[in-house]
Amino acid sequence: MVSIDGLGDLWDRLFSAQPDPPPLLVVLTALAALAVVAVRSTWRVARNAVTIAHEGGHALAALLTGRRLHGIRLHSDTSGLTLSAGRPTGPGMILTLLAGYVAPSLVGLGGAWLLGGNRITLLLWVAVALLLAMLLLVRNVFGVLSLLVTGGVVLVVSWYATPQVQAVFAWTSVWFLLIGGVRPVFELQRLRSRGRMPESDADQLAHLTPFPALLWVLVFGLVNLFALAVGAVLLAGPLLAEAGIPL
């Protein structure tokens, strides 16, 4: 049985603010995340995290709009599939399709907001909780392994790592989601232009709405670039403070 004091300590650990990170940490973690996204070999591995957020966005939108969620599949080629049932047209289906490509950047923006308040531990535990919830919805072996590995790494860092390591991990991860959320939109349009993704989210949205697929790709890109810009300002708080620029 957990004591009141134990619950109090847990509450303090979860919601207490950590010290401001050194400005150099903010810069180096941003450069590290940019390198991971820009280099093809590292992107092929790290892109799994973006796929997890992408399919999680589809799943959450489906649940929030009243659709019946049948499951999520994550594949080793970094593709994914979220299956839901309900009306094949209408706002619920549109929002479910729309949520995928913008989800990684919006998750990154939420993470940047928490890090802007130096809530590193809270960020890591929220990430573990979301990954655990998604694990219950995954329907293939690779998807289960991918979530277990990702969630396990976050859990170990949140529980055992030093505050300095937690800060590096948290800032790098959030930068990665913000930057990494933009690249798939360009990849999507490149594949569409070659006729290799005729049933992409953007093309399905075009079938359901009066707007062409290219406009939906533009919407994905603008949302993600906006999230990157706002998230960068939130994450750059220590740099701005050192320069005497108030947020």
Side-chain angles (χ1 to χ4, degrees):
M1 185 174 180
V2 181
S3 67
I4 299 298
D5 289 340
L7 288 175
D9 291 341
L10 184 62
W11 181 272
D12 290 340
R13 179 175 180 179
L14 185 59
F15 289 98
S16 62
Q18 285 73 39
D20 285 337
L24 183 60
L25 180 145
V26 178
V27 174
L28 291 180
T29 53
L31 293 175
L34 179 60
V36 170
V37 174
V39 177
R40 184 175 181 180
S41 57
T42 55
W43 172 244
R44 289 178 61 184
V45 176
R47 197 183 194 281
N48 283 289
V50 174
T51 302
I52 290 172
H54 179 113
E55 300 304 328
H58 282 315
L60 180 60
L63 291 172
L64 292 177
T65 57
R67 297 180 63 79
R68 296 186 302 278
L69 188 61
H70 289 325
I72 300 170
R73 300 178 71 86
L74 303 171
H75 304 131
S76 58
D77 62 355
T78 72
S79 65
L81 179 66
T82 298
L83 297 173
S84 64
R87 288 185 58 193
T89 60
M93 189 65 201
I94 291 172
L95 289 173
T96 298
L97 288 168
L98 179 61
Y101 275 97
V102 300
S105 294
L106 294 181
V107 171
L109 181 58
W113 177 72
L114 288 175
L115 289 183
N118 291 333
R119 299 300 197 275
I120 298 175
T121 303
L122 180 59
L123 168 68
L124 297 176
W125 284 27
V126 166
V128 171
L130 291 175
L131 290 168
L132 180 60
M134 192 170 172
L135 180 63
L136 301 176
L137 302 171
V138 171
R139 298 293 181 264
N140 68 320
V141 174
F142 179 82
V144 170
L145 292 176
S146 182
L147 285 172
L148 285 175
V149 170
T150 305
V153 169
V154 179
L155 181 61
V156 167
V157 170
S158 68
W159 196 259
Y160 295 106
T162 64
Q164 293 79 9
V165 172
Q166 289 182 0
V168 171
F169 181 84
W171 255 266
T172 304
S173 299
V174 171
W175 275 121
F176 171 75
L177 286 173
L178 289 170
I179 300 170
V182 176
R183 178 167 175 170
V185 179
F186 289 94
E187 294 176 340
L188 167 65
Q189 183 54 30
R190 184 174 68 250
L191 292 173
R192 286 189 65 258
S193 67
R194 298 173 181 174
R196 294 173 58 185
M197 288 189 71
E199 294 300 321
S200 70
D201 293 351
D203 289 282
Q204 293 183 64
L205 284 165
H207 294 320
L208 296 174
T209 67
F211 309 111
L214 185 58
L215 179 61
W216 288 110
V217 174
L218 182 61
V219 169
F220 297 157
L222 289 176
V223 170
N224 292 358
L225 288 172
F226 176 79
L228 173 58
V230 176
V233 172
L234 292 171
L235 292 175
L239 289 173
L240 299 176
E242 188 173 82
I245 304 174
L247 285 175

